[in-house]
Amino acid sequence: MAQEIPTEPGGGGTASATRVPTTRRRFLRGLLGFSVMSTMAMVFAPVIAFLIPTKTGAAGAGDKVLAGTVDDIPLGQGKVVAMGSQPTIVLNTAQGVIAFSAICTHLGCIVAFDSGSGLIVCPCHDGRFNATTGAVVSGPPPAPLPAVKVSVEDSGEIFLIGS
Ligand code: FES
């Protein structure tokens, strides 16, 4: 049995309750849904992008992964790139281009190069590593950063070599 509702303020007529929602109501619901989804995407997309570094390719044993060019990393600077699923810090030093795992040996945070101090620094507990050897300089890390093999081509392209 269909419920009857008045169609006029005075109660003069009736219509079926199974009536299709008005176009305006549907439009507003769609707009609200779109707004909520857009807001969630704007909030979570940068967080996910930060937590998952950009992949530059596979990194099996002997695989070469392009990390950029010498022009991308000026002398005395460093940058973190993904070698497969492994974040890797690539440094352009006076001794040449070198690379280490960018995963801190303390609790696994991602390290970064600090050009002011010339050290690799972990932001989580202020662990500090030598930017030439990967050795621990100070802080809680129990071991040095593992080295990653690097090859610099004549074109200036920097390749990380999987082990
Ligand atoms: S995780 Fe790097 S110092 Fe603790």
Side-chain angles (χ1 to χ4, degrees):
M1 177 178 146
Q3 179 185 7
E4 295 188 355
I5 56 173
T7 55
E8 295 177 12
T14 60
S16 170
T18 57
R19 207 167 79 188
V20 176
T22 64
T23 305
R24 187 172 74 181
R25 189 173 294 161
R26 249 195 253 174
F27 173 75
L28 291 174
R29 282 187 186 157
L31 187 63
L32 179 64
F34 177 76
S35 298
V36 169
M37 294 303 290
S38 299
T39 302
M40 290 176 69
M42 286 190 316
V43 169
F44 290 112
V47 172
I48 292 169
F50 175 76
L51 294 175
I52 304 171
T54 306
K55 292 188 177 189
T56 56
D63 285 352
K64 292 171 73 173
V65 176
L66 181 63
T69 67
V70 178
D71 294 335
D72 295 337
I73 309 171
L75 187 64
Q77 297 297 313
K79 100 177 188 187
V80 174
V81 300
M83 182 175 165
S85 60
Q86 294 294 309
T88 305
I89 186 163
V90 182
L91 306 157
N92 190 353
T93 71
Q95 293 79 34
V97 177
I98 55 177
F100 301 98
S101 167
I103 301 172
C104 181
T105 55
H106 181 222
L107 294 177
C109 291
I110 306 301
V111 299
F113 180 69
D114 176 30
S115 58
S117 65
L119 298 171
I120 298 170
V121 178
C122 178
C124 291
H125 310 104
D126 202 28
R128 294 171 181 266
F129 301 89
N130 183 303
T132 306
T133 64
V136 178
V137 173
S138 66
L145 295 171
V148 174
K149 285 185 184 173
V150 176
S151 168
V152 180
E153 306 291 320
D154 292 338
S155 62
E157 291 178 317
I158 301 168
F159 288 94
L160 303 175
I161 301 170
S163 55

